[in-house]
C-alpha cells in the first residue's frame, strides 16, 4: 500500500503518490480507461487526486468526479486549481482576482461532484492582480468551507514566502507548492525547496517520470512507441519534446542498471527518486493505462541508498536542468 506524508505544516496527510489527470482524462484516453486508472489508483491505496479547471477545458474535472462517484468522501483528498494564463475568453475568466476565484471554485465543485476540495491551488502566479486580493479571496473560499487548504503551483521562492506570510496573517493555511520535479528537472532544489522548508510548505511534484521519458521507453534514434504521449497530437507531444533529444535519451538508458540493482523498474526508480527529497509530500503520476498506475505506485516506501543517488547524478551528468 501507499505511505502517507503530512502536507506542509498542516495536519493533512496525503498519499505520497497522487494520481493526476492532465492530458489524459477528457483528451488522450477514453472515459472507461480513465475510470479504470482511477480505480487502479484507489485499489493500490492512492487517496489523493489532482486535476485543474483548465485540463481538457474543464472536462478532466468532470471525468474525475464521475470516476470517484460512490467513494467515501472522507477517504479522499481532492486537489484542483484555478487560473491558467492563456485560453479563457472573457476579461474576468482568468487571473487570480476575487471575482474569478469565486466563480472558478463553484464551477470546479460542481464538476467534481463535491462540496469542498481538500486543496485549492493557484495554477500560476498572476502578476496583474495584487497578491493581497488573491489571498483575501482564498481566505473567503476557506471560510466558506469550499476548500480546506490552499496551495500554489510554479511560484518562485519569494512568491511562496510572500503568499505564506499573507495567509498566516489572514488565518488560513497555504501549505503546498506544485512544481515540475524529476531526475531530469531539478530547478526547485536551488531556491524553492529551501524557502518552502523554512515556511512550512511542501512540494507536490508533477511529471516525476518526465512524462514517460524516464520509463526508458523512448530509445535514442528509435521510432516513437505507438500510442505514447509523444505521439499524441492533442497536446502531449508539444510538452514532452524538451526531453526527446538523443543526448538525454542515451543518458536515461544508463539508469537501467541502477533500477535493476534496486529491483525496480525504470518508472518506479523515477518516482522513488523524487520521494527521497524530504520536502516532497507527494509525486503526482499520470497514466494512460491502469497497468502504469499499478507499476508506478510500488515506488512508495522505497529508499535509494546515497551511493546510488550519486551514481544517478553521474549517469545523467549535464543533461539535468537545474
Ligand atoms: P508523469 O511524469 O508521471 O507522466 C505520465 C505519463 O508517462 C503517462 O501518462 C504515460 O504516458 C507515461 N508513463 C507513466 N508510467 C509509465 C510506465 N510505467 N511505462 C511507460 N510509460 C509510462 O506525469 P504527468 O506528466 O502525466 O503529470 C502528472 C500530473 O501532474 C498531471 O496529471 C497533473 O495532475 C500534474 N501536472 C501539473 C502541472 C502544473 O503546472 N501544476 C503541469 C503538468 C502536470 P503514455 O503512456 O501516453 O506515453
Amino acid at each position: 500500500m501507499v505511505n502517507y506524508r503530512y502536507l506542509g505544516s498542516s495536519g493533512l496527510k496525503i498519499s505520497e503518490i497522487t494520481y493526476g489527470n492532465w492530458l489524459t482524462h477528457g483528451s488522450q484516453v477514453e472515459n472507461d480507461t480513465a475510470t479504470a486508472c482511477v480505480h487502479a489508483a484507489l485499489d493500490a491505496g492512492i487517496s489523493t487526486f489532482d486535476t485543474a479547471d483548465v485540463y481538457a477545458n474543464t472536462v478532466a474535472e468532470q471525468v474525475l468526479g464521475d470516476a470517484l462517484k460512490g467513494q467515501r468522501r472522507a477517504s479522499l483528498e481532492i486537489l484542483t486549481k484555478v487560473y491558467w494564463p492563456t485560453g479563457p475568453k472573457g476579461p474576468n475568466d482568468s487571473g487570480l482576482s476575487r471575482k474569478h476565484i469565486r466563480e472558478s471554485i463553484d464551477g470546479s465543485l460542481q464538476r467534481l461532484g463535491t462540496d469542498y476540495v481538500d486543496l485549492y491551488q493557484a495554477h500560476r502566479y498572476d502578476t496583474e492582480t495584487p497578491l493581497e486580493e488573491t489571498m483575501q479571496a482564498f481566505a473567503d473560499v476557506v471560510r466558506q468551507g469550499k476548500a480546506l487548504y490552499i496551495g500554489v503551483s510554479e511560484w518562485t521562492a519569494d512568491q511562496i514566502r510572500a503568499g505564506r506570510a499573507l495567509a498566516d496573517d489572514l488565518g488560513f493555511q497555504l501549505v503546498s507548492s506544485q512544481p515540475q520535479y524529476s531526475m531530469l528537472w531539478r530547478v526547485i532544489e536551488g531556491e524553492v525547496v529551501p524557502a518552502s522548508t523554512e515556511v512550512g510548505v511542501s512540494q507536490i511534484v508533477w511529471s516525476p517520470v518526465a512524462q514517460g521519458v524516464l520509463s526508458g521507453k523512448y530509445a535514442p534514434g528509435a521510432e516513437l512507441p505507438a500510442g505514447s504521449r509523444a505521439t499524441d497530437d492533442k497536446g502531449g507531444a508539444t510538452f514532452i519534446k524538451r526531453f526527446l533529444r538523443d543526448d538525454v535519451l542515451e543518458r536515461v538508458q544508463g539508469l537501467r542498471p541502477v533500477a535493476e540493482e534496486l529491483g525496480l523498474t525504470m518508472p518506479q526508480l523515477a518516482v522513488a527518486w523524487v520521494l527521497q527529497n524530504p520536502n516532497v509530500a507527494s509525486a503526482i503520476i499520470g497514466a494512460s493505462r491502469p497497468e502504469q498506475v499499478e507499476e508506478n505506485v510500488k515506488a512508495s516506501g522505497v529508499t535509494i541508498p546515497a551511493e546510488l543517488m550519486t551514481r544517478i547524478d553521474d549517469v545523467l551528468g549535464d543533461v539535468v536542468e537545474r
Side-chain angles (χ1 to χ4, degrees):
M1 291 309 268
V2 181
N3 291 342
Y4 277 75
R5 297 187 184 190
Y6 281 105
L7 191 58
S9 55
S10 80
L12 180 70
K13 291 176 195 160
I14 63 172
S15 51
E16 66 181 14
I17 313 260
T18 293
Y19 174 82
N21 71 357
W22 174 58
L23 297 177
T24 53
H25 295 190
S27 184
Q28 185 194 1
V29 306
E30 300 298 331
N31 288 357
D32 54 352
T33 305
T35 303
C37 286
V38 168
H39 288 170
L42 290 165
D43 290 347
I46 290 175
S47 60
T48 310
F49 293 85
D50 181 74
T51 185
D53 56 351
V54 72
Y55 294 170
N57 197 16
T58 72
V59 178
E61 285 185 330
Q62 186 80 52
V63 173
L64 181 64
D66 289 348
L68 289 174
K69 239 178 219 141
Q71 299 299 321
R72 181 175 174 264
R73 181 65 185 86
S75 302
L76 303 171
E77 299 83 45
I78 300 179
L79 288 37
T80 193
K81 312 185 192 82
V82 53
Y83 171 44
W84 187 249
T86 56
K89 313 285 175 288
N92 287 310
D93 291 339
S94 184
L96 290 175
S97 67
R98 178 183 289 279
K99 179 171 172 62
H100 184 57
I101 288 175
R102 154 77 195 260
E103 283 159 2
S104 204
I105 183 81
D106 287 344
S108 290
L109 294 179
Q110 197 190 6
R111 289 186 290 274
L112 286 163
T114 182
D115 296 338
Y116 69 95
V117 289
D118 296 273
L119 183 71
Y120 198 44
Q121 304 158 102
H123 210 153
R124 288 293 182 270
Y125 190 86
D126 178 4
T127 52
E128 291 171 9
T129 300
L131 186 59
E132 290 76 7
E133 173 178 340
T134 297
M135 291 297 141
Q136 278 165 1
F138 280 142
D140 288 347
V141 163
V142 172
R143 257 183 239 119
Q144 290 160 357
K146 293 178 179 178
L148 306 185
Y149 302 88
I150 297 297
V152 301
S153 175
E154 293 293 353
W155 283 25
T156 65
D158 285 347
Q159 290 164 348
I160 290 169
R161 271 204 203 88
R164 171 73 191 216
L166 280 168
D168 287 349
D169 287 350
L170 291 162
F172 71 90
Q173 291 162 286
L174 191 160
V175 286
S176 69
S177 145
Q178 188 177 126
Q180 180 174 186
Y181 188 49
S182 70
M183 288 192 275
L184 290 172
W185 196 271
R186 307 189 192 177
V187 177
I188 56 169
E189 288 179 351
E191 293 179 6
V192 167
V193 166
S196 300
T197 304
E198 188 189 306
V199 299
V201 165
S202 289
Q203 313 303 317
I204 302 176
V205 303
W206 58 269
S207 295
V209 188
Q211 304 196 45
V213 169
L214 286 166
S215 74
K217 70 181 173 184
Y218 298 101
E223 289 215 356
L224 300 174
S228 63
R229 184 177 290 183
T231 63
D232 173 27
D233 58 8
K234 292 196 208 81
T238 52
F239 290 94
I240 199 173
K241 269 197 183 114
R242 64 162 72 111
F243 299 121
L244 295 176
R245 301 189 332 240
D246 278 356
D247 58 337
V248 176
L249 301 183
E250 271 157 25
R251 299 285 186 134
V252 168
Q253 293 304 319
L255 296 172
R256 207 172 284 281
V258 182
E260 280 166 7
E261 202 167 323
L262 284 160
L264 301 176
T265 65
M266 298 267 282
Q268 288 165 351
L269 175 69
V271 177
W273 184 89
V274 300
L275 292 173
Q276 305 307 298
N277 185 323
N279 187 233
V280 170
S282 190
I284 320 175
I285 59 164
S288 65
R289 288 194 290 284
E291 296 77 20
Q292 294 174 347
V293 179
E294 288 157 12
E295 178 179 355
N296 300 4
V297 80
K298 296 198 180 104
S300 178
V302 169
T303 302
I304 306 178
E307 180 255 311
L308 289 184
M309 290 295 277
T310 307
R311 181 124 50 99
I312 290 168
D313 293 347
D314 293 344
V315 167
L316 292 176
D318 63 4
V319 301
V320 173
E321 188 76 28
R322 291 179 191 275

